[in-house]
Amino acid sequence: MYKKIFVLTEGQTETKFVEEVLKPYFFEKGKLLLPCTIVTSTDRRNGKIHKGGISNYGKIKSNLQPLLKKVQKSSDVFVTTMIDFYGLPTDTPGFNSSVLINEPYKKIENIEKEIYKDVEKIYSSESLRERLFIPYIQLHEFEALLFSDVEKIKTEYGVENYDFSELYDCVAKIKNPEFINNGAETAPSKRIIKCASSYENNKPTVGVSIAKAIGLVTLRHKCAHFHEWIEKLENL
């Protein structure tokens, strides 16, 4: 009997990453990861559902609630998230207080704790135990993982005339991929797009392809917060 872990994801890239990189790994450990992309709006007139992109915390919470109901019905069901800190809605619990925290890991842990507390208010202590819901905020966004091995980014675009020297310089200077910052022009994805403009329109396919080439072992070794999340899921 497989344990089920619903992963609420921010967009297509994260969903594809969970499906193609994390799911096979956890399947061998008796856990079935089920990614669910956040639904941001529904066009009932045309019968269309729009996913990805989060304008406010309410979108996150409304998508979490039906998943957490499944937790209440089974001891083998769990819920987690994979949402970027970059572009995180400012009304997210813990966001304002995190502004006063300089250390990136403490900043993000503060937000995760406050999200848990906010969700916990809906449920009694018996129906939602801490291990059943694990909020995870990606520092600073999915593309930070790709800086674990810039050589794999270069290899992905090997036949194209792109200059990735800025990415190598970035890693040499910052060292920790998860510390690459949250600026509108300097966030991990923006740095990659600056070097390889085609990445912007192919994030889910190319980004996940690079992550697969890097491998989960290296991703965990280079990205401590990501590693801790994976470890928590392993221990469920």
Side-chain angles (χ1 to χ4, degrees):
M1 184 69 178
Y2 282 85
K3 293 181 178 180
K4 294 182 179 179
I5 305 175
F6 289 95
V7 187
L8 185 65
T9 60
E10 178 168 343
Q12 293 181 355
T13 305
E14 291 80 7
T15 295
K16 193 174 179 66
F17 174 74
V18 172
E19 191 70 38
E20 297 188 14
V21 179
L22 300 186
K23 189 173 182 177
Y25 173 77
F26 278 97
F27 191 77
E28 294 183 356
K29 296 180 176 296
K31 299 178 177 67
L32 181 61
L33 265 60
L34 301 169
C36 307
T37 310
I38 290 176
V39 174
T40 51
S41 63
T42 303
D43 186 345
R44 294 182 179 178
R45 179 177 297 179
N46 297 313
K48 293 183 178 181
I49 295 176
H50 301 283
K51 296 183 178 182
I54 310 169
S55 58
N56 57 70
Y57 174 67
K59 301 291 185 184
I60 299 174
K61 194 170 183 177
S62 64
N63 279 264
L64 274 174
Q65 288 174 332
L67 298 180
L68 291 169
K69 286 182 179 179
K70 299 178 186 295
V71 166
Q72 293 176 291
K73 297 178 181 179
S74 173
S75 60
D76 288 328
V77 177
F78 307 87
V79 177
T80 187
T81 61
M82 188 176 188
I83 298 171
D84 293 342
F85 178 62
Y86 177 67
L88 189 68
T90 57
D91 63 341
T92 300
F95 187 92
N96 290 332
S97 57
S98 74
V99 174
L100 303 175
I101 303 173
N102 292 323
E103 210 282 326
Y105 288 139
K106 291 182 180 179
K107 181 191 295 284
I108 222 69
E109 287 168 5
N110 176 65
I111 294 176
E112 290 171 346
K113 287 179 181 178
E114 292 304 316
I115 290 176
Y116 178 81
K117 288 179 183 178
D118 181 69
V119 172
E120 187 182 34
K121 294 175 186 176
I122 306 171
Y123 304 92
S124 68
S125 58
E126 294 182 357
S127 62
L128 184 65
R129 299 187 303 278
E130 186 171 359
R131 64 188 294 271
L132 300 181
F133 172 49
I134 301 174
Y136 173 68
I137 303 298
Q138 175 69 48
L139 259 175
H140 281 85
E141 59 176 342
F142 167 78
E143 281 76 13
L145 299 175
L146 307 187
F147 279 76
S148 296
D149 189 344
V150 174
E151 191 66 25
K152 294 298 190 296
I153 301 176
K154 180 181 178 181
T155 300
E156 181 71 25
Y157 290 98
V159 297
E160 301 182 56
N161 187 28
Y162 288 135
D163 180 6
F164 293 100
S165 58
E166 288 190 22
L167 302 190
Y168 287 101
D169 291 343
C170 173
V171 171
K173 181 179 180 180
I174 299 178
K175 300 187 186 324
N176 188 336
E178 291 181 314
F179 286 5
I180 298 174
N181 62 24
N182 209 27
E185 299 298 326
T186 55
S189 64
K190 303 301 181 183
R191 292 176 187 267
I192 295 174
I193 291 169
K194 185 178 179 181
C195 295
S197 58
S198 62
Y199 181 77
E200 186 165 18
N201 296 321
N202 298 285
K203 289 183 181 182
T205 302
V206 177
V208 174
S209 176
I210 296 169
K212 289 170 73 174
I214 295 172
L216 197 53
V217 171
T218 299
L219 294 177
R220 295 181 68 170
H221 177 68
K222 294 293 184 68
C223 303
H225 188 60
F226 173 76
H227 167 72
E228 288 175 0
W229 176 50
I230 298 300
E231 195 170 49
K232 288 177 182 178
L233 299 184
E234 288 175 329
N235 291 331
L236 290 177

